[in-house]
Amino acid sequence: MLRYVTTNSGKVREAREYLDDGSVTQLEFDYAEVQAPTLEPIAARGAREAYRHADEPVLVDDAGLFVDGLDGFPGPYSAYVEETLGTERVGELARGTDTTPRDEADEATGPARAAFRCVLAYCDGDPFDASPDPVDRGDRAAAAAADDENGAAGGLPVKLFEGVVRGRIVEPRGDGGFGYDPIFEHDGTTLAEMNAEEKNAISHRGRALAKFAEWYATR
Ligand code: ITT
C-alpha cells in the first residue's frame, strides 16, 4: 500500500486518476515544511518525516507556482500566499509584470509567464539508488541536527521526481481543479477548464507521476 501524503484532496484525486490501481490511499499528515528556496529539500524532509510517522511506503507531493516576472515568487511559499493574498491577488501581481502588448503574447515569450512545479518524494525505509540529497551542503550540520531532534532518521534514502509545466497567468477562468488552476493557462486553456485526465496529461503533477510510476513499476 502506498500512502500519498497530503492534506489536499485535489492532489489525491489527480494521483488516483493517474496511478489508477486502487492501491493509493491518502495520508493526511501535515509534515513540517522547512524554509527553502526550492521544493526538493522540503519534499525530501517531508518524506522522511512521513515515513517515520506511517512506517509504510510514502509519497510526498510538494508543488508551487513560480512567476517569472516575480523572480519565482510565490514558489515554495505558494500555500501560505494562497491563504493570505489569495489566487486573484497573485494573478493581479503576476499580470502587473506584463509589459508585452497583448497581441504579442505567446506562451513561450509572452506576458506573465510562469511555471508550475511538482516534486514527488518517495521513501519506504529500504536502501535504493536515491536522488542526491538535496539538502544544502552548507547547511548540512544544521540539517543533521534538526533530523536528530526529530528522531535521527536524516539518512533515510529518498527518491525525487520532478514535473514542470509552463504557461502564463490570466484572469481566472473555469471551475475545475483547485488552488491556482483558474489563473494558470497552458495552450489557451486554464487548468481549471480541464478535467483531471486532461490536466494530468500536461500538468506538473502528471509529469512527475509519470516518472514515478515508471520507476515504481520496477520496485
Ligand atoms: P499539502 O502540503 O498537504 O500537500 P498543500 O495544498 O499545502 O497541501 P503544497 O504546499 O504543495 O500543498 O501547495 C502549494 C500551493 O500550490 C497550494 O496553495 C496549492 O493549492 C497550490 N497547488 C498545488 N498544486 C496545484 C495544482 O496542481 N494546481 C493549482 N494549484 C496547486
Side-chain angles (χ1 to χ4, degrees):
M1 179 64 75
L2 178 63
R3 311 300 306 270
Y4 205 87
V5 184
T6 182
T7 59
N8 185 327
S9 55
K11 290 182 177 180
V12 184
R13 218 172 25 245
E14 291 172 17
R16 286 231 180 86
E17 175 79 32
Y18 190 93
L19 298 169
D20 191 34
D21 62 1
S23 65
V24 181
T25 59
Q26 179 175 5
L27 174 60
E28 235 179 293
F29 175 63
D30 207 4
Y31 56 88
E33 295 207 8
V34 290
Q35 292 234 331
T38 55
L39 302 177
E40 283 83 352
I42 302 170
R45 295 284 290 274
R48 291 186 176 119
E49 192 184 325
Y51 172 74
R52 289 197 297 265
H53 169 81
D55 201 20
E56 283 188 281
V58 294
L59 193 60
V60 159
D61 172 327
D62 198 33
L65 176 69
F66 296 73
V67 178
D68 292 9
L70 298 174
D71 294 339
F73 183 83
Y77 309 107
S78 294
Y80 174 74
V81 170
E82 187 190 336
E83 273 164 36
T84 50
L85 292 184
T87 48
E88 298 217 4
R89 204 57 226 296
V90 174
E92 283 162 20
L93 285 173
R95 290 193 302 276
T97 67
D98 174 359
T99 51
T100 315
R102 195 80 187 161
D103 58 358
E104 286 176 25
D106 94 75
E107 207 151 271
T109 59
R113 283 170 296 162
F116 236 127
R117 292 177 188 278
C118 173
V119 172
L120 298 176
Y122 174 82
C123 180
D124 63 13
D126 286 341
F128 54 77
D129 186 15
S131 308
D133 196 330
V135 172
D136 180 4
R137 299 288 111 183
D139 196 27
R140 214 173 155 68
D147 272 334
D148 277 349
E149 278 166 28
N150 292 333
L156 282 173
V158 171
K159 191 94 177 159
L160 301 174
F161 305 86
E162 192 200 23
V164 182
V165 59
R166 288 201 56 82
R168 61 196 188 97
I169 304 302
V170 296
E171 298 270 1
R173 295 197 319 263
D175 48 24
F178 63 94
Y180 295 96
D181 281 346
I183 62 165
F184 190 92
E185 184 188 77
H186 175 80
D187 243 352
T189 308
T190 69
L191 298 183
E193 292 174 315
M194 303 177 187
N195 63 34
E197 197 183 340
E198 290 163 341
K199 182 180 164 187
N200 272 343
I202 54 95
S203 77
H204 50 312
R205 180 161 301 101
R207 288 170 180 172
L209 283 166
K211 291 181 190 169
F212 167 73
E214 193 184 341
W215 175 79
Y216 193 56
T218 68
R219 285 271 308 145

